Amino acid sequence: MSGDRQARFEQGTWSDEPALLVRVRAHDLAAFERLYRRYHPRLSRFVTSLVRRHGLVEEVVNDTMMVLWDKPESFGGNSKLSTWLFAIAYRKAVKARMRDDEPVADEEAAERADDDAAPPDRDFGRQRTAAILQGAIGELSPDHRAVVHLTYFQEIGYREIADILGCPVDTVKTRMFHARRHLRRKLSGELADWI
Amino acid sequence: MSNVIPLHGDPHETAQRLLPWYVTGTLDAAEHRLVEDHLAHCAECAADLAGEERLRAEVAALPDAPPERPAAQWELLRERALASAASSRRGTSWWSALPTGRRIALAAASQAALVLLGIGVYDRLRQPAGGDYHTLSAPSAKGEQGGNIIVIFRPDSPEQAFRATIDAVGARLVDGPTAAGAYVLAVPNGRREAALATLRKRADIVLAQPIDGERAE
Ligand SMILES: [Zn+2]
């Protein structure tokens, strides 16, 4: 969106966000759409790492955005908007998971790893690594997966991750430590230079 | 957020646990230095760093399942938002307490508020009348400071009450109110966190946020 390109993004804060939030408080749909389009890709990717099933991902993301629309006053501004949204999405994803009870997601990832084990084209190595990594991530618990995703993909610091997941910072560090060990062990069989 | 970093314990173990965030550049300055110093003389951690960078790159490059019909998803949410707004108007929110005509006027005025806040105020704050460009976080030559906090008061709070609130935190009113009740305040940068903390505790305030993109400590 051209409007977003004009908005300045500085040290994790969009310069136009306070103004957009003011408008959302007045139930301005255009401002809400702007925030939705800005956060939807990041939120869906995060939620996908937790629940996988597509219909459920959209449901969780939309429920999350509806909190902003229905109760904008519950965002007090003492964290970044992204942290606040991620935290809501996390809690909703955990609930949705319990409701949905789907161990299927993890099996799917493992199956994908097997299916893609020998792609016949020249990106053989790359795709194989990606497939193995995908499978290894699928073997992690959702909480470990969330930390890996927020750290590597969203590039969020561990303190903010602790805020999002509602857990102590040491728990974040410990989960990450174990998750990395698992992933690197899985990949080390694949590539000689992994160690 | 705590500024105190527990530096006790084995520096090797500390570095090992911080490596992922060292790689993504999200550690604070003290922690970053700690890991860097340790990496300089620990072969094991230095080797782990290479593996860590590789792992991060591989995870970040994993293909994403494309969302199903994103436009349709927004349409869905839009309908929900409209329905919810309509039903909340029958409820007891400050918005719904207003007569319909006033609500329409307010919605229109909030568009104007964006112009004021989004363009007017920001540009003015970034480029003060004095002329020379500086960012908000930089102190100006005259020691005069631009707005660095945005607050929204409850619509029913009396004017003396919010004057008192502004005085209580040593803030200066820079701009406002907009239709949605937002004000831009200026406080000395060193006192901003304390001012924000105080403002958020006041019953007559619904939102208090820093506005120059400077990260809150
Ligand atoms: Zn070491």
Side-chain angles (χ1 to χ4, degrees):
Chain A
M1 241 192 185
S2 66
D4 274 8
R5 252 180 270 125
Q6 282 157 19
R8 274 166 288 213
F9 183 79
E10 293 169 353
Q11 297 180 26
T13 307
W14 289 85
S15 61
D16 64 343
E17 244 163 46
L20 289 174
L21 287 167
V22 165
R23 289 171 60 191
V24 166
R25 276 164 182 277
H27 275 170
D28 177 331
L29 207 56
F32 185 53
E33 180 176 3
R34 187 95 152 260
L35 291 171
Y36 170 82
R37 293 196 187 277
R38 181 173 295 169
Y39 285 105
H40 179 270
R42 292 180 70 192
L43 287 173
S44 348
R45 185 111 196 211
F46 172 51
V47 174
T48 301
S49 79
L50 294 167
V51 300
R52 304 278 163 105
R53 192 160 67 74
H54 243 309
L56 207 56
V57 172
E58 285 303 337
E59 190 186 311
V60 168
V61 172
N62 283 2
D63 284 355
T64 301
M65 292 305 294
M66 281 305 287
V67 176
L68 180 62
W69 179 254
D70 284 338
K71 302 190 192 96
E73 71 282 353
S74 61
F75 174 64
N78 44 354
S79 70
K80 290 194 293 195
L81 180 63
S82 59
T83 309
W84 186 77
L85 288 171
F86 273 121
I88 294 171
Y90 176 71
R91 291 196 299 270
K92 290 194 178 294
V94 168
K95 273 193 204 146
R97 236 191 118 80
M98 288 192 312
R99 248 191 359 246
D100 207 48
D101 189 40
E102 43 139 17
V104 196
D106 300 355
E107 283 162 23
E108 264 173 24
E111 275 167 28
R112 245 194 329 270
D114 290 342
D115 290 349
D116 298 352
D121 63 85
R122 65 196 163 83
D123 287 335
F124 176 80
R126 264 221 80 75
Q127 286 192 24
R128 194 183 158 87
T129 305
I132 287 169
L133 188 55
Q134 199 84 268
I137 289 174
E139 288 163 7
L140 295 170
S141 80
D143 283 343
H144 285 75
R145 224 153 48 204
V147 176
V148 169
H149 175 86
L150 293 170
T151 300
Y152 288 145
F153 188 77
Q154 309 274 356
E155 302 200 338
I156 295 175
Y158 68 82
R159 289 194 182 85
E160 212 177 313
I161 293 175
D163 287 343
I164 291 168
L165 305 183
C167 69
V169 289
D170 276 337
T171 306
V172 173
K173 290 184 195 165
T174 303
R175 279 183 197 164
M176 193 60 186
F177 187 80
H178 291 302
R180 284 150 69 207
R181 206 169 50 184
H182 175 75
L183 298 181
R184 290 178 65 166
R185 198 187 292 135
K186 287 283 170 171
L187 285 164
S188 67
E190 187 57 21
L191 298 161
D193 57 341
W194 266 97
I195 313 264
Chain B
M1 200 176 283
S2 165
N3 291 319
V4 186
I5 306 135
L7 295 180
H8 58 265
D10 181 12
H12 174 73
E13 196 197 324
T14 306
Q16 282 281 324
R17 285 163 67 89
L18 290 178
L19 269 187
W21 298 285
Y22 175 80
V23 164
T24 56
T26 50
L27 292 178
D28 66 28
E31 287 171 323
H32 186 88
R33 214 176 311 117
L34 182 112
V35 175
E36 205 155 59
D37 289 352
H38 179 72
L39 283 168
H41 54 256
C42 177
E44 190 189 335
C45 283
D48 278 349
L49 177 66
E52 190 59 39
E53 275 167 349
R54 179 92 191 264
L55 184 59
R56 186 208 62 80
E58 294 288 351
V59 172
L62 284 177
D64 187 17
E68 281 162 20
R69 302 164 63 224
Q73 289 302 336
W74 163 247
E75 284 308 309
L76 223 65
L77 186 62
R78 185 175 172 276
E79 291 310 310
R80 260 180 87 179
L82 284 171
S84 171
S87 75
S88 80
R89 241 167 258 155
R90 292 191 295 271
T92 55
S93 74
W94 65 270
W95 173 256
S96 64
L98 294 167
T100 309
R102 177 86 181 106
R103 275 205 305 269
I104 291 162
L106 209 53
S110 80
Q111 300 286 346
L114 176 77
V115 176
L116 171 68
L117 279 168
I119 301 160
V121 173
Y122 280 112
D123 285 358
R124 205 151 1 115
L125 294 176
R126 276 162 198 286
Q127 196 140 18
D132 54 335
Y133 180 90
H134 69 261
T135 60
L136 264 179
S137 48
S140 83
K142 292 178 211 124
E144 259 287 294
Q145 208 171 358
N148 52 7
I149 288 178
I150 187 169
V151 288
I152 298 180
F153 289 90
R154 290 202 183 288
D156 52 354
S157 60
E159 189 172 343
Q160 311 112 286
F162 81 68
R163 293 270 167 213
T165 301
I166 291 169
D167 284 348
V169 297
R172 191 164 51 79
L173 182 61
V174 177
D175 221 324
T178 67
Y183 291 83
V184 177
L185 307 181
V187 296
N189 265 331
R191 299 222 313 270
R192 186 167 71 164
E193 283 313 307
L196 281 168
T198 308
L199 289 170
R200 284 170 190 146
K201 279 188 214 122
R202 309 282 294 214
D204 55 341
I205 286 185
V206 292
L207 177 139
Q209 253 199 305
I211 54 164
D212 56 1
E214 196 182 288
R215 194 168 249 184
E217 284 305 313

